[in-house]
Amino acid sequence: LTWLLQAWADARHTISAERTRIVTVTRGKFVRDVAAQGTVIAAVNPTLFAVAPGTVSYLVRAGDSVTKGQPLAILDSPALRNEYQREQATLDSLNAALERQEIEIRRQMLLSQQQADLARVSIQAAEREKVRAQSAWDERVISEQDYRRRLDDLETAKLNFDHASATAALERDSLALELRTKRLERDRQALIVANLKSRVDELTVRSPVDGMVANLAQPEKARVTESAPLITVVDLSVFEIEFQVAESYAGDIRPGMSAEINLDGRPRAGVVTAISPEVRQSQVTGRVKFRD
Protein backbone atom coordinates (compact mmCIF):
# COMPACT_ATOMS: atom_id res chain seq x y z
CA LEU A 1 0.00 0.00 0.00
CA THR A 2 2.85 2.34 0.82
CA TRP A 3 4.44 1.61 -2.59
CA LEU A 4 1.14 2.35 -4.42
CA LEU A 5 0.73 5.66 -2.58
CA GLN A 6 4.27 6.67 -3.55
CA ALA A 7 3.62 5.82 -7.21
CA TRP A 8 0.40 7.80 -7.21
CA ALA A 9 2.11 10.80 -5.68
CA ASP A 10 4.92 10.72 -8.25
CA ALA A 11 4.32 13.72 -10.61
CA ARG A 12 6.68 12.47 -13.37
CA HIS A 13 3.88 10.34 -14.97
CA THR A 14 1.37 13.19 -15.20
CA ILE A 15 0.16 14.32 -18.74
CA SER A 16 -1.53 17.67 -19.28
CA ALA A 17 -5.09 17.74 -20.73
CA GLU A 18 -3.98 20.01 -23.63
CA ARG A 19 -1.83 17.21 -25.01
CA THR A 20 -4.66 14.67 -24.93
CA ARG A 21 -7.08 14.03 -27.84
CA ILE A 22 -10.27 12.03 -27.51
CA VAL A 23 -11.86 10.56 -30.65
CA THR A 24 -14.55 7.97 -31.43
CA VAL A 25 -13.24 4.68 -32.80
CA THR A 26 -15.20 3.30 -35.81
CA ARG A 27 -14.86 0.17 -37.90
CA GLY A 28 -13.19 0.74 -41.29
CA LYS A 29 -11.67 -1.16 -44.22
CA PHE A 30 -8.08 -1.98 -44.97
CA VAL A 31 -7.18 -0.79 -48.46
CA ARG A 32 -4.41 -2.46 -50.42
CA ASP A 33 -2.94 -1.30 -53.68
CA VAL A 34 -1.60 -3.63 -56.35
CA ALA A 35 0.81 -2.19 -58.89
CA ALA A 36 1.16 -3.89 -62.27
CA GLN A 37 2.53 -3.16 -65.71
CA GLY A 38 -0.03 -3.13 -68.48
CA THR A 39 -0.32 -2.88 -72.25
CA VAL A 40 -2.81 -0.78 -74.20
CA ILE A 41 -4.84 -3.04 -76.47
CA ALA A 42 -7.94 -2.68 -78.63
CA ALA A 43 -11.05 -3.60 -76.67
CA VAL A 44 -12.84 -4.90 -79.79
CA ASN A 45 -10.86 -7.11 -82.17
CA PRO A 46 -13.26 -9.63 -83.74
CA THR A 47 -12.00 -12.55 -85.79
CA LEU A 48 -14.19 -13.61 -88.73
CA PHE A 49 -14.60 -17.30 -89.58
CA ALA A 50 -15.63 -19.28 -92.65
CA VAL A 51 -19.32 -20.25 -92.69
CA ALA A 52 -18.70 -23.15 -95.09
CA PRO A 53 -15.79 -24.97 -96.73
CA GLY A 54 -14.46 -23.21 -99.82
CA THR A 55 -11.74 -21.07 -101.38
CA VAL A 56 -11.00 -17.64 -99.88
CA SER A 57 -10.12 -14.55 -101.90
CA TYR A 58 -9.12 -11.42 -99.97
CA LEU A 59 -10.17 -7.91 -100.99
CA VAL A 60 -7.97 -6.07 -98.43
CA ARG A 61 -4.51 -6.38 -96.92
CA ALA A 62 -3.21 -6.25 -93.37
CA GLY A 63 -3.05 -2.64 -92.17
CA ASP A 64 -5.84 -1.35 -94.43
CA SER A 65 -8.46 0.89 -92.85
CA VAL A 66 -11.99 -0.45 -93.24
CA THR A 67 -15.50 0.67 -92.43
CA LYS A 68 -18.39 -1.27 -90.98
CA GLY A 69 -20.07 -3.41 -93.65
CA GLN A 70 -17.18 -3.18 -96.11
CA PRO A 71 -16.44 -6.47 -97.98
CA LEU A 72 -13.16 -7.93 -96.78
CA ALA A 73 -13.04 -11.32 -98.49
CA ILE A 74 -15.11 -13.62 -100.69
CA LEU A 75 -15.51 -17.32 -99.93
CA ASP A 76 -16.29 -19.49 -102.93
CA SER A 77 -18.33 -22.48 -101.73
CA PRO A 78 -19.96 -24.44 -104.59
CA ALA A 79 -21.41 -27.02 -102.16
CA LEU A 80 -23.30 -24.38 -100.16
CA ARG A 81 -24.59 -22.61 -103.28
CA ASN A 82 -25.78 -25.90 -104.80
CA GLU A 83 -27.58 -26.80 -101.59
CA TYR A 84 -29.26 -23.40 -101.54
CA GLN A 85 -30.40 -23.74 -105.17
CA ARG A 86 -31.67 -27.28 -104.54
CA GLU A 87 -33.69 -26.23 -101.49
CA GLN A 88 -34.99 -23.18 -103.37
CA ALA A 89 -36.25 -25.46 -106.16
CA THR A 90 -37.98 -27.63 -103.55
CA LEU A 91 -39.63 -24.53 -102.10
CA ASP A 92 -40.87 -23.46 -105.55
CA SER A 93 -42.30 -26.96 -106.06
CA LEU A 94 -44.10 -26.80 -102.71
CA ASN A 95 -45.52 -23.37 -103.56
CA ALA A 96 -46.88 -24.72 -106.84
CA ALA A 97 -48.33 -27.78 -105.09
CA LEU A 98 -49.95 -25.54 -102.48
CA GLU A 99 -51.58 -23.38 -105.15
CA ARG A 100 -52.83 -26.50 -106.93
CA GLN A 101 -54.17 -27.83 -103.63
CA GLU A 102 -56.02 -24.58 -102.99
CA ILE A 103 -57.69 -24.82 -106.41
CA GLU A 104 -58.64 -28.47 -105.78
CA ILE A 105 -60.06 -27.57 -102.38
CA ARG A 106 -62.22 -24.84 -103.87
CA ARG A 107 -63.48 -27.30 -106.50
CA GLN A 108 -64.36 -29.94 -103.93
CA MET A 109 -66.08 -27.38 -101.72
CA LEU A 110 -68.15 -26.23 -104.71
CA LEU A 111 -69.16 -29.84 -105.38
CA SER A 112 -70.17 -30.33 -101.74
CA GLN A 113 -72.16 -27.10 -101.79
CA GLN A 114 -73.76 -28.19 -105.04
CA GLN A 115 -74.92 -31.45 -103.45
CA ALA A 116 -76.43 -29.52 -100.54
CA ASP A 117 -78.19 -27.10 -102.88
CA LEU A 118 -79.61 -29.95 -104.97
CA ALA A 119 -80.88 -31.60 -101.80
CA ARG A 120 -82.59 -28.33 -100.83
CA VAL A 121 -84.24 -28.13 -104.24
CA SER A 122 -85.40 -31.74 -103.84
CA ILE A 123 -87.09 -30.77 -100.58
CA GLN A 124 -88.94 -27.93 -102.29
CA ALA A 125 -90.07 -30.26 -105.10
CA ALA A 126 -91.16 -32.91 -102.60
CA GLU A 127 -93.12 -30.32 -100.63
CA ARG A 128 -95.00 -29.27 -103.77
CA GLU A 129 -95.77 -32.90 -104.60
CA LYS A 130 -96.95 -33.40 -101.05
CA VAL A 131 -99.33 -30.42 -101.33
CA ARG A 132 -100.79 -31.77 -104.57
CA ALA A 133 -101.05 -35.26 -103.12
CA GLN A 134 -102.80 -33.89 -100.04
CA SER A 135 -105.32 -32.03 -102.19
CA ALA A 136 -105.91 -35.12 -104.33
CA TRP A 137 -106.26 -37.34 -101.27
CA ASP A 138 -108.83 -34.99 -99.81
CA GLU A 139 -110.83 -35.43 -103.00
CA ARG A 140 -110.10 -39.15 -102.93
CA VAL A 141 -108.87 -39.13 -106.51
CA ILE A 142 -105.58 -40.93 -105.67
CA SER A 143 -104.94 -44.05 -103.68
CA GLU A 144 -103.68 -43.95 -100.13
CA GLN A 145 -100.54 -45.70 -101.29
CA ASP A 146 -99.66 -42.86 -103.69
CA TYR A 147 -100.38 -40.33 -100.97
CA ARG A 148 -98.09 -42.10 -98.50
CA ARG A 149 -95.39 -42.34 -101.16
CA ARG A 150 -95.41 -38.53 -101.55
CA LEU A 151 -94.97 -38.13 -97.80
CA ASP A 152 -92.06 -40.59 -97.83
CA ASP A 153 -90.46 -38.71 -100.71
CA LEU A 154 -90.59 -35.51 -98.66
CA GLU A 155 -88.96 -37.14 -95.65
CA THR A 156 -86.31 -38.72 -97.88
CA ALA A 157 -85.51 -35.31 -99.41
CA LYS A 158 -85.13 -33.80 -95.94
CA LEU A 159 -82.79 -36.60 -94.87
CA ASN A 160 -80.74 -36.20 -98.04
CA PHE A 161 -80.42 -32.47 -97.37
CA ASP A 162 -79.33 -33.01 -93.76
CA HIS A 163 -76.72 -35.56 -94.80
CA ALA A 164 -75.49 -33.37 -97.66
CA SER A 165 -75.10 -30.38 -95.30
CA ALA A 166 -73.23 -32.45 -92.70
CA THR A 167 -71.02 -33.99 -95.40
CA ALA A 168 -70.21 -30.54 -96.77
CA ALA A 169 -69.21 -29.29 -93.30
CA LEU A 170 -66.96 -32.31 -92.72
CA GLU A 171 -65.49 -31.89 -96.18
CA ARG A 172 -64.65 -28.26 -95.41
CA ASP A 173 -62.93 -29.21 -92.13
CA SER A 174 -60.97 -32.01 -93.79
CA LEU A 175 -59.87 -29.82 -96.69
CA ALA A 176 -58.89 -27.00 -94.30
CA LEU A 177 -56.73 -29.40 -92.27
CA GLU A 178 -55.10 -30.74 -95.41
CA LEU A 179 -54.41 -27.23 -96.64
CA ARG A 180 -52.92 -26.27 -93.25
CA THR A 181 -50.62 -29.30 -93.40
CA LYS A 182 -49.43 -28.25 -96.86
CA ARG A 183 -48.80 -24.70 -95.67
CA LEU A 184 -46.81 -25.87 -92.65
CA GLU A 185 -44.68 -28.03 -94.93
CA ARG A 186 -44.12 -25.05 -97.22
CA ASP A 187 -43.28 -22.76 -94.27
CA ARG A 188 -40.77 -25.27 -92.94
CA GLN A 189 -39.05 -25.39 -96.32
CA ALA A 190 -39.11 -21.59 -96.47
CA LEU A 191 -37.21 -21.43 -93.16
CA ILE A 192 -34.58 -23.81 -94.54
CA VAL A 193 -34.18 -21.66 -97.64
CA ALA A 194 -33.97 -18.46 -95.57
CA ASN A 195 -31.22 -19.96 -93.42
CA LEU A 196 -29.27 -21.10 -96.48
CA LYS A 197 -29.69 -17.69 -98.12
CA SER A 198 -28.28 -16.04 -94.99
CA ARG A 199 -25.27 -18.38 -95.14
CA VAL A 200 -24.78 -17.68 -98.85
CA ASP A 201 -24.84 -13.93 -98.12
CA GLU A 202 -22.19 -14.51 -95.44
CA LEU A 203 -19.87 -15.93 -98.08
CA THR A 204 -19.03 -12.26 -98.67
CA VAL A 205 -17.13 -11.53 -95.46
CA ARG A 206 -17.86 -7.99 -94.24
CA SER A 207 -16.28 -5.92 -91.51
CA PRO A 208 -18.36 -5.81 -88.31
CA VAL A 209 -16.73 -2.57 -87.07
CA ASP A 210 -14.86 0.50 -88.24
CA GLY A 211 -11.15 -0.05 -87.80
CA MET A 212 -8.11 -1.65 -89.34
CA VAL A 213 -7.28 -5.09 -90.69
CA ALA A 214 -4.96 -6.73 -88.18
CA ASN A 215 -3.99 -9.90 -90.03
CA LEU A 216 -5.06 -12.35 -92.71
CA ALA A 217 -5.26 -15.83 -91.22
CA GLN A 218 -5.11 -17.74 -94.54
CA PRO A 219 -3.04 -17.46 -97.73
CA GLU A 220 -4.70 -16.08 -100.84
CA LYS A 221 -6.85 -18.65 -102.72
CA ALA A 222 -6.40 -21.15 -99.91
CA ARG A 223 -8.87 -23.99 -99.43
CA VAL A 224 -10.39 -23.62 -95.95
CA THR A 225 -12.74 -25.71 -93.85
CA GLU A 226 -15.89 -24.58 -92.11
CA SER A 227 -15.25 -22.39 -89.01
CA ALA A 228 -11.66 -21.73 -90.08
CA PRO A 229 -10.38 -18.23 -89.09
CA LEU A 230 -10.12 -15.85 -92.04
CA ILE A 231 -9.38 -12.30 -90.93
CA THR A 232 -9.10 -10.17 -87.78
CA VAL A 233 -10.33 -6.57 -87.60
CA VAL A 234 -9.29 -4.14 -84.84
CA ASP A 235 -11.52 -1.31 -83.63
CA LEU A 236 -9.17 1.62 -82.93
CA SER A 237 -11.79 3.75 -81.17
CA VAL A 238 -12.03 1.80 -77.89
CA PHE A 239 -9.00 0.73 -75.86
CA GLU A 240 -8.36 -1.22 -72.67
CA ILE A 241 -5.38 -2.02 -70.48
CA GLU A 242 -4.29 -5.66 -70.24
CA PHE A 243 -2.23 -6.29 -67.10
CA GLN A 244 -0.64 -9.20 -65.28
CA VAL A 245 -0.34 -9.64 -61.53
CA ALA A 246 1.06 -12.32 -59.25
CA GLU A 247 -1.14 -15.30 -58.54
CA SER A 248 -1.38 -14.36 -54.86
CA TYR A 249 -3.37 -11.21 -55.71
CA ALA A 250 -5.82 -12.91 -58.07
CA GLY A 251 -8.31 -13.81 -55.33
CA ASP A 252 -8.59 -10.18 -54.17
CA ILE A 253 -9.25 -8.59 -57.57
CA ARG A 254 -12.84 -8.44 -58.78
CA PRO A 255 -14.55 -6.86 -61.82
CA GLY A 256 -15.91 -3.43 -60.95
CA MET A 257 -13.02 -2.42 -58.68
CA SER A 258 -11.53 1.03 -59.19
CA ALA A 259 -8.15 1.39 -60.84
CA GLU A 260 -5.74 4.23 -61.54
CA ILE A 261 -3.99 4.18 -64.90
CA ASN A 262 -0.68 6.03 -65.21
CA LEU A 263 -0.35 6.67 -68.93
CA ASP A 264 2.50 8.87 -70.20
CA GLY A 265 2.91 10.27 -66.69
CA ARG A 266 -0.73 11.32 -66.41
CA PRO A 267 -3.17 9.52 -64.11
CA ARG A 268 -6.50 8.38 -65.53
CA ALA A 269 -9.46 6.76 -63.80
CA GLY A 270 -10.25 3.19 -64.72
CA VAL A 271 -12.30 0.20 -63.63
CA VAL A 272 -11.47 -3.52 -63.68
CA THR A 273 -13.59 -5.32 -66.29
CA ALA A 274 -12.26 -8.88 -66.12
CA ILE A 275 -9.80 -11.12 -64.35
CA SER A 276 -8.83 -14.45 -65.86
CA PRO A 277 -9.21 -17.62 -63.77
CA GLU A 278 -6.25 -19.15 -65.62
CA VAL A 279 -2.78 -19.00 -64.12
CA ARG A 280 0.24 -18.95 -66.44
CA GLN A 281 3.76 -18.90 -65.03
CA SER A 282 2.40 -17.76 -61.66
CA GLN A 283 0.75 -14.77 -63.36
CA VAL A 284 -2.92 -13.89 -63.82
CA THR A 285 -4.14 -11.66 -66.67
CA GLY A 286 -6.81 -9.00 -66.23
CA ARG A 287 -8.31 -6.04 -68.06
CA VAL A 288 -9.00 -2.46 -67.06
CA LYS A 289 -11.08 -0.02 -69.10
CA PHE A 290 -10.94 3.75 -69.00
CA ARG A 291 -13.78 5.11 -66.89
CA ASP A 292 -14.35 8.07 -69.23
Side-chain angles (χ1 to χ4, degrees):
L1 179 60
T2 302
W3 180 81
L4 290 176
L5 290 175
Q6 291 177 354
W8 175 75
D10 192 351
R12 289 178 299 175
H13 299 289
T14 302
I15 300 176
S16 63
E18 291 78 8
R19 297 176 56 189
T20 305
R21 290 188 304 163
I22 301 176
V23 297
T24 302
V25 178
T26 59
R27 182 183 295 273
K29 295 182 179 180
F30 288 102
V31 178
R32 293 193 298 167
D33 293 333
V34 178
Q37 295 291 328
T39 305
V40 179
I41 61 173
V44 181
N45 51 352
T47 299
L48 307 178
F49 298 86
V51 297
T55 304
V56 61
S57 299
Y58 290 105
L59 305 178
V60 293
R61 298 181 180 275
D64 290 351
S65 298
V66 296
T67 58
K68 184 177 181 179
Q70 177 181 341
L72 305 179
I74 296 178
L75 188 64
D76 184 17
S77 178
L80 179 59
R81 293 186 182 277
N82 290 338
E83 183 181 2
Y84 169 65
Q85 294 173 359
R86 184 171 62 253
E87 297 296 340
Q88 180 64 51
T90 303
L91 178 60
D92 295 339
S93 177
L94 289 177
N95 283 328
L98 180 61
E99 293 176 359
R100 184 167 56 252
Q101 185 70 22
E102 290 176 347
I103 296 174
E104 182 65 21
I105 286 175
R106 288 198 299 268
R107 186 184 67 82
Q108 294 182 10
M109 291 179 65
L110 286 176
L111 289 177
S112 299
Q113 187 64 38
Q114 181 184 14
Q115 296 296 329
D117 294 339
L118 290 176
R120 184 183 296 108
V121 172
S122 298
I123 290 177
Q124 296 173 358
E127 287 178 344
R128 288 194 298 268
E129 290 295 330
K130 186 256 184 183
V131 171
R132 284 195 293 268
Q134 183 67 45
S135 177
W137 172 250
D138 293 340
E139 297 293 334
R140 297 297 189 272
V141 296
I142 62 173
S143 63
E144 183 179 359
Q145 182 180 2
D146 292 338
Y147 173 66
R148 297 298 179 184
R149 185 183 302 113
R150 298 298 184 272
L151 296 179
D152 293 340
D153 292 341
L154 178 58
E155 292 300 325
T156 301
K158 290 181 178 180
L159 287 175
N160 290 334
F161 174 73
D162 293 339
H163 285 296
S165 299
T167 301
L170 290 176
E171 188 73 17
R172 284 195 300 271
D173 295 341
S174 176
L175 294 175
L177 180 60
E178 186 176 353
L179 182 61
R180 181 171 177 270
T181 302
K182 290 289 186 181
R183 285 176 176 170
L184 290 175
E185 185 179 357
R186 188 275 311 272
D187 295 342
R188 175 180 175 276
Q189 184 65 25
L191 290 176
I192 295 176
V193 172
N195 180 47
L196 288 174
K197 184 179 184 303
S198 176
R199 294 184 62 190
V200 169
D201 293 339
E202 291 176 357
L203 292 178
T204 301
V205 182
R206 300 180 183 274
S207 175
V209 295
D210 296 333
M212 183 183 68
V213 178
N215 63 75
L216 307 180
Q218 305 293 337
E220 180 70 15
K221 299 297 182 181
R223 179 74 178 177
V224 298
T225 60
E226 185 175 358
S227 301
L230 297 179
I231 190 171
T232 300
V233 182
V234 177
D235 185 359
L236 299 179
S237 63
V238 182
F239 297 96
E240 289 183 345
I241 305 296
E242 185 177 80
F243 65 90
Q244 291 183 340
V245 295
E247 178 185 359
S248 58
Y249 296 109
D252 299 330
I253 302 176
R254 296 285 187 274
M257 287 184 172
S258 299
E260 182 179 293
I261 304 170
N262 189 353
L263 183 63
D264 295 334
R266 293 177 299 173
R268 296 177 180 271
V271 59
V272 178
T273 59
I275 185 73
S276 174
E278 183 181 7
V279 179
R280 292 185 177 181
Q281 298 179 353
S282 301
Q283 297 285 322
V284 176
T285 303
R287 284 198 176 191
V288 172
K289 72 174 183 180
F290 293 91
R291 190 178 293 277
D292 55 358

